[in-house]
DNA sequence: TGGGATTTGTTCGTATGTATT
DNA sequence: GAATACATACGAACAAATCCC
């Protein structure tokens, strides 16, 4: 479909997935050259990736400190959900206007994957799919700009859940997704709006107190599922140039 | 207020203003080193500025061609206005919720400047102020993310007006701004929503057929009001290193 | 059509600032 | 508290691709 997933896009997608699935936790440091070695590209390219991630509020750069996974404040959290309400309301309006059977099929298929992930107990997959449901819906609006904004704000909300939410806080919204699909398919905008508002309110309400556990692993280990789609043996040279002790230090608070 | 308007911000603001006020027209080329010399900074910094401008849809970069002022398609245009409707609806809701006398004073002052600019017949100033009215309103929502999104989409709409709108297409919306202020001050959300929807519809409707005139000037001349706030004699070395013929070539269509 | 000049994309080296010991 | 080490910010040079003549 898309011409070339130029390595910069690969790294962007990989980091984004890692953050959203909470393989990288808020506050974790992301040294430029280390990431560059993992994805086998130079610091300049890493900088571009970091720039995009920063624009979406996923990481924080600037100062002359190493880039860190963003730690949104409580104000940021409520702001993100406020904007999300407004955007997804418009999404519903447009999707109903342009509704067709293919949309329903795609949403049903996605919902099936969500249920499957929930049964398998795969928390990272559930978190990822819960967000992708909303971005998928946004793409059906036929408005690329709206889709981009929704993707942006959904990412921010994912980080908020990572900071303030309980673990496994995303796997109980599947039924709400089902109701939303049904309301949209019935063309009932008012019901769909209310359901969406309720749904997002539930998600927001789950953001209360976060349990922080310490699991000091290496950056390479955390990112191994995301680099080159496997154990990461292909892109990384077998002979690491004398740096066995690379390790991510968690922000102390 | 803000600590340091580090030269990168200055250049960003200058280019943004130049594009919005149509001193730079859609399709105009923006060579990196030329802009760098104008603002006396290196290409690396210019690249960062271009990156931000590109993220907001003001310019187009990539594909090893020189950066150009964006030429939004008709689909992009309607998309921008759709999103804008949704965002500004939420803005009104929040501003009414957090309304206070200082907000009214600030809006009245801004409106006065709009009227003054309209009387003076200063088209660029009118265009700029018309957009800033909406960003000012968005800042009063108390939601920084919403404010950012509104600023983004307002910029896009400004470029749309530059491409498809008639000249001076922004200076007749002042009365509508007044009505919106009054409705918000009265706490009447429904009326404010309708007025805003009507207002944005009017702005969108003015985007019909654009008259394109040719006025081949040099990039330095077009940007002279924006660089260093004056005639640009301070930053530019008096002895130009043998390049009197730098000139912006308009995209043929 | 082909060659030359110009411009972008990328990489590498140096300097400045922060955090650590 | 001072010195060391490290990471980022910035700038200059190289190579590739494009546009113009």
């Amino acid at each position: 479909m898309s011409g070339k997933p130029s390595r910069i896009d690969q790294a962007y997608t990989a980091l984004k997935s890692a953050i959203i699935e909470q393989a990288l936790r808020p506050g974790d440091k992301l040294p430029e050259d280390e990431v560059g070695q993992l994805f086998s590209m130079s610091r300049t390219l890493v900088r571009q990736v970091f720039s995009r991630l920063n624009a979406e509020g996923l990481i924080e750069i600037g100062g002359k400190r190493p880039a860190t996974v963003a730690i949104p404040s409580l104000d940021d959290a409520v702001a993100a959900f406020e904007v999300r309400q407004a955007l997804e309301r418009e999404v519903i309006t447009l999707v109903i206007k342009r509704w067709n059977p293919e949309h329903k099929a795609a949403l049903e298929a996605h919902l099936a994957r969500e249920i499957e992930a929930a049964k398998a107990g795969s928390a990272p997959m559930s978190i990822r799919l819960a967000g992708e449901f909303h971005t998928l819906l946004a793409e059906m609006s036929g408005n690329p700009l709206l889709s981009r904004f929704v993707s942006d704000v959904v990412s921010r909300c994912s980080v908020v859940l990572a900071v303030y939410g309980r673990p496994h806080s995303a796997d109980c919204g599947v039924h709400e997704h089902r109701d939303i699909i049904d309301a949209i398919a019935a063309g009932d905008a008012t019901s769909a709006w209310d359901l969406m508002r309720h749904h997002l309110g539930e998600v927001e309400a789950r953001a209360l107190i976060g349990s922080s556990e310490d699991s000091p692993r290496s950056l390479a280990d955390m990112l191994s599922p995301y680099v080159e789609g496997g154990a990461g043996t292909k892109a990384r040279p077998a002979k690491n140039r004398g740096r066995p002790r690379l390790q991510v230090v968690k922000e102390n608070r």
Side-chain angles (χ1 to χ4, degrees), chain A:
Chain A
M1 302 293 181
S2 50
K4 46 170 173 53
S6 56
R7 294 205 310 283
I8 178 171
D9 289 327
Q10 296 181 8
Y12 166 76
T13 305
L15 269 311
K16 182 174 175 177
S17 300
I19 294 175
I20 289 179
E21 299 184 11
Q22 303 185 19
L24 289 171
R25 309 242 301 269
D28 285 352
K29 294 180 182 176
L30 294 170
E32 284 181 353
D33 47 3
E34 208 163 314
V35 179
Q37 288 180 6
L38 280 174
F39 294 96
S40 60
M41 56 172 150
S42 197
R43 296 203 310 276
T44 307
L45 282 305
V46 177
R47 258 180 114 65
Q48 295 185 20
V49 177
F50 281 7
S51 182
R52 290 174 59 178
L53 260 33
N54 178 50
E56 295 184 13
L58 288 173
I59 70 175
E60 285 171 2
I61 61 179
K64 295 202 179 79
R65 241 173 320 287
T68 56
V69 179
I71 308 178
S73 67
L74 270 171
D75 288 339
D76 293 334
V78 302
F81 276 99
E82 274 181 354
V83 176
R84 185 168 176 174
Q85 290 275 7
L87 289 176
E88 300 226 35
R89 188 181 194 274
E90 182 70 13
V91 166
I92 287 176
T93 306
L94 293 177
V95 170
I96 288 179
K97 195 178 297 182
R98 303 172 189 181
W99 183 249
N100 72 47
E102 295 178 5
H103 291 161
K104 183 176 178 64
L107 288 174
E108 296 286 354
H110 187 89
L111 194 66
R113 295 204 313 175
E114 281 192 74
I115 295 173
E116 190 175 7
K119 280 190 177 178
S122 173
M125 185 72 78
S126 292
I127 296 174
R128 183 207 194 106
L129 290 174
E132 283 184 355
F133 173 81
H134 294 266
T135 58
L136 179 63
L137 203 63
E139 286 172 6
M140 294 176 181
S141 72
N143 186 324
L145 184 61
L146 181 58
S147 181
R148 261 192 53 174
F149 281 5
V150 168
S151 174
D152 186 326
V153 72
V154 167
S155 298
R156 290 172 193 270
C157 289
S158 297
V159 181
V160 168
L161 285 173
V163 179
Y164 300 102
R166 311 190 174 91
H168 318 97
S169 59
D171 51 355
C172 40
V174 188
H175 294 91
E176 296 168 352
H177 285 184
R178 158 131 304 286
D179 294 337
I180 291 173
I181 294 176
D182 292 339
I184 291 176
D188 187 349
T190 306
S191 295
W193 287 340
D194 287 340
L195 287 168
M196 180 64 82
R197 169 163 28 211
H198 177 74
H199 172 52
L200 294 180
E202 287 292 316
V203 175
E204 186 180 4
R206 288 185 207 120
L208 283 171
I209 299 174
S211 69
S212 63
E213 307 170 3
D214 290 334
S215 61
R217 291 182 297 162
S218 79
L219 183 61
D221 283 342
M222 299 196 216
L223 256 54
S224 59
Y226 302 97
V227 56
E228 286 290 312
T233 58
K234 181 182 173 186
R236 251 167 61 198
K239 296 183 180 183
N240 283 350
R241 297 195 302 168
R243 276 210 179 178
R245 78 261 191 271
L246 58 85
Q247 171 176 321
V248 172
V249 183
K250 303 255 192 288
E251 199 76 10
N252 289 356
R253 42 169 241 78

